[in-house]
Amino acid sequence: GQNIDQPTEMTATEGAIVQINCTYQTSGFNGLFWYQQHAGEAPTFLSYNVLDGLEEKGRFSSFLSRSKGYSYLLLKELQMKDSASYLCAVRDSDYKLSFGAGTTVTVRA
Amino acid sequence: IAGITQAPTSQILAAGRRMTLRCTQDMRHNALYWYRQDLGLGLRLIHYSTTAGTTGKGEVPDGYSVSRANTDDFPLTLASAVPSQTSVYFCASSEGQGASPLHFGNGTRLTVT
């Protein structure tokens, strides 16, 4: 099975940087995904890591350390529209993707 | 617009009734999934299918069944609904393993009374 942990809530100021951590223990590992979910909407794909290191996509970056079972999502130059839940998900040894409970980020003016 | 269509958008259902949630894709993805999302618990996998004709159980399969008669349709059936099945249900697809992400439908909000 999978055990995926991330903080429940985080608050930050517009223009600032926020780092959302995710730790995982899995029976197999075939990649880690981050999703964004606005209230009342479906999750949308943000990033994918399968090798150790940092992947950068505009204002969003994601980091992975497989030996530590650890990832983070970094949101830079925060905007009000970034207020959402951020979901960490791990693909195990076959097709299945398991999700953490999500981190609700609130951006304040 | 290509993607996943779920129906109905929302439904109120009496306990003990049978209900089928519909999921149709037009992306010709091999893999389809059903998740339920509950406050504080996140998304939990109910059933999945890696190709037409095959299905598998996820983390919380009890009380649910699925079928995959063709590539595009993946209905989820609640044989006899119970209040604990009140949730938001998402259907998702992916091309397969590796870097292919899940693409989600807009969800079905189900309330069992």
Side-chain angles (χ1 to χ4, degrees):
Chain A
Q2 318 284 33
N3 186 18
I4 302 170
D5 291 316
Q6 50 182 130
T8 303
E9 295 179 337
M10 302 183 75
T11 301
T13 305
E14 196 174 15
I17 298 173
V18 69
Q19 177 174 315
I20 306 169
N21 296 324
C22 172
T23 59
Y24 63 90
Q25 294 174 307
T26 62
S27 55
F29 182 81
N30 278 281
L32 187 142
F33 296 78
W34 284 95
Y35 284 79
Q36 180 189 60
Q37 186 178 25
H38 285 100
E41 298 182 5
T44 56
F45 169 69
L46 284 179
S47 69
Y48 170 76
N49 296 72
V50 68
L51 300 177
D52 290 353
L54 189 68
E55 294 284 340
E56 297 188 81
K57 267 189 180 182
R59 294 189 298 114
F60 293 0
S61 302
S62 56
F63 172 83
L64 175 67
S65 168
R66 289 172 296 170
S67 62
K68 295 182 179 178
Y70 168 70
S71 174
Y72 68 72
L73 179 70
L74 195 69
L75 286 62
K76 294 177 278 189
E77 300 170 18
L78 278 173
Q79 302 176 10
M80 300 300 288
K81 67 179 182 179
D82 297 329
S83 291
S85 286
Y86 292 86
L87 314 178
C88 175
V90 175
R91 175 162 274 151
D92 64 15
S93 54
D94 51 25
Y95 282 80
K96 292 179 286 185
L97 200 62
S98 296
F99 286 80
T103 300
T104 299
V105 172
T106 301
V107 180
R108 294 183 172 168
Chain B
I1 298 177
I4 293 190
T5 302
Q6 291 186 238
T9 302
S10 65
Q11 181 75 44
I12 299 174
L13 186 68
R17 298 296 296 270
R18 180 184 180 90
M19 175 77 190
T20 295
L21 307 185
R22 298 186 298 278
C23 170
T24 300
Q25 63 146 345
D26 62 4
M27 295 178 286
R28 309 299 292 177
H29 285 169
N30 287 323
L32 288 169
Y33 307 82
W34 275 105
Y35 286 87
R36 60 178 288 174
Q37 187 172 37
D38 303 288
L39 196 63
L41 297 176
L43 286 157
R44 293 181 292 167
L45 183 64
I46 305 171
H47 285 287
Y48 66 101
S49 169
T50 57
T51 189
T54 67
T55 62
K57 293 182 180 181
E59 181 184 355
V60 288
D62 294 343
Y64 306 95
S65 63
V66 291
S67 61
R68 185 84 184 275
N70 57 59
T71 298
D72 297 335
D73 299 298
F74 192 46
L76 176 73
T77 297
L78 289 67
S80 179
V82 295
S84 62
Q85 292 178 310
T86 293
S87 187
V88 179
Y89 291 85
F90 286 101
C91 182
S93 73
S94 78
E95 292 177 347
Q97 298 172 308
S100 53
L102 295 186
H103 302 269
F104 286 85
N106 287 329
T108 294
R109 183 174 295 277
L110 181 67
T111 303
V112 182
T113 61

